[in-house]
Amino acid sequence: MSPASLIPAEIGINAAIAICAVAFVSGTARGFSGFGSALIFMPLASSIADPRLVAALLLIIDFVAAAPLLPNAWQKADRRATAVIVTGALIGVPIGTYLLSRLEPVTTRWIISVFVFALLLLLLSGWRYRGKDHAAVAIGIGGLSGFCSGLAQTGGPPIVGYWLGRPIASVIARANIVLFFGASDFFSAISYAATGLITLDAIKFAFVVGPVYGVGVWFGASLFGKASETVFRAICYALIAAAVIFGLPALDGVLR
């Protein structure tokens, strides 16, 4: 089976190459800094292909890439606290998935661009939740993150801002984040499958884009400790901003 046979007919070779290039860049950001992959991938890739296919594709390749991290996270995480916030994702993911499955592609592209821009501002602000532990707050943030994940696989910033602001050891915070996204991705997989978003085309295309994304993650991880994290994060922020700008449906039409 040739790689060309794995590419959906409506995308074409050139578009597939462009999506692979975006996957490499977003994977590099993920490997080095642990964030930014969806915020770069979704605006750009969804300007090339149907957002529903792109979201399902990212869910598949990122879930496979993150699966090996789950056993260690399960051992180190505060599973009771994580379970509370996961409850919110259980509510938010299906809502976001429903909108993704029902909205027109152009409308979805605009929503993704606006969401990613808002999440970029959240990252730039350095926001951390430093209030008291309240189940309602945890469920609300989990619901927001789940909604963003269901709609566009962009649920990272709210959950990261919450856990990194808690008065707990960083190793536990990171384990909680990994465990949360393992559960969130599981909910997304069920929701996407139930609404018909995980298609044979998405699964086949993942065999093309996934290895490129994986190489990007490996390359980014290899840069960690060799490059300034401050500079690299600034580059990631710039890439996210560029992804929003060039991924806008209006600009997409002009550039073509």
Side-chain angles (χ1 to χ4, degrees):
M1 182 179 293
S2 67
S5 66
L6 300 175
I7 299 172
E10 69 272 16
I11 291 181
I13 298 295
N14 291 337
I17 292 173
I19 291 174
C20 285
V22 172
F24 177 79
V25 173
S26 60
T28 300
R30 170 69 180 270
F32 184 92
S33 62
F35 77 95
S37 58
L39 302 183
I40 295 171
F41 187 82
M42 284 303 301
L44 289 176
S46 64
S47 71
I48 300 170
D50 190 324
R52 288 167 289 198
L53 172 65
V54 171
L57 173 65
L58 181 59
L59 172 63
I60 294 168
I61 63 177
D62 198 56
F63 184 78
V64 172
L69 303 176
L70 291 175
N72 185 57
W74 177 263
Q75 293 180 353
K76 296 180 179 179
D78 181 341
R79 294 194 289 270
R80 177 175 296 181
T82 303
V84 173
I85 203 166
V86 163
T87 303
L90 185 60
I91 300 169
V93 166
I95 297 173
T97 302
Y98 176 80
L99 290 178
L100 176 63
S101 67
R102 296 296 181 181
L103 294 175
E104 291 294 324
V106 173
T107 303
T108 305
R109 286 172 180 140
W110 276 109
I111 292 175
I112 288 172
S113 294
V114 172
F115 255 80
V116 170
F117 181 70
L119 294 173
L120 173 60
L121 293 180
L122 183 66
L123 287 170
L124 289 172
S125 73
W127 175 82
R128 297 289 185 266
Y129 178 77
R130 305 190 188 280
K132 295 181 179 180
D133 290 324
H134 291 292
V137 173
I139 292 172
I141 291 176
L144 174 61
S145 179
F147 175 79
C148 294
S149 293
L151 178 65
Q153 295 303 306
T154 54
I159 204 72
V160 170
Y162 176 79
W163 278 122
L164 294 187
R166 311 312 302 135
I168 57 177
S170 59
V171 64
I172 296 177
R174 290 189 180 91
N176 290 352
I177 291 168
V178 171
L179 197 59
F180 171 85
F181 282 116
S184 178
D185 284 350
F186 178 72
F187 298 155
S188 292
I190 294 175
S191 295
Y192 278 33
T195 53
L197 291 173
I198 295 183
T199 62
L200 181 59
D201 277 347
I203 295 172
K204 289 166 59 178
F205 198 27
F207 283 99
V208 176
V209 181
V212 179
Y213 181 78
V215 170
V217 172
W218 169 84
F219 178 67
S222 71
L223 293 177
F224 188 77
K226 299 179 182 178
S228 167
E229 185 171 358
T230 301
V231 171
F232 198 90
R233 282 180 178 268
I235 293 173
C236 288
Y237 291 144
L239 287 172
I240 294 169
V244 172
I245 293 171
F246 288 104
L248 287 173
L251 283 182
D252 181 54
V254 171
L255 293 174
R256 290 185 183 182

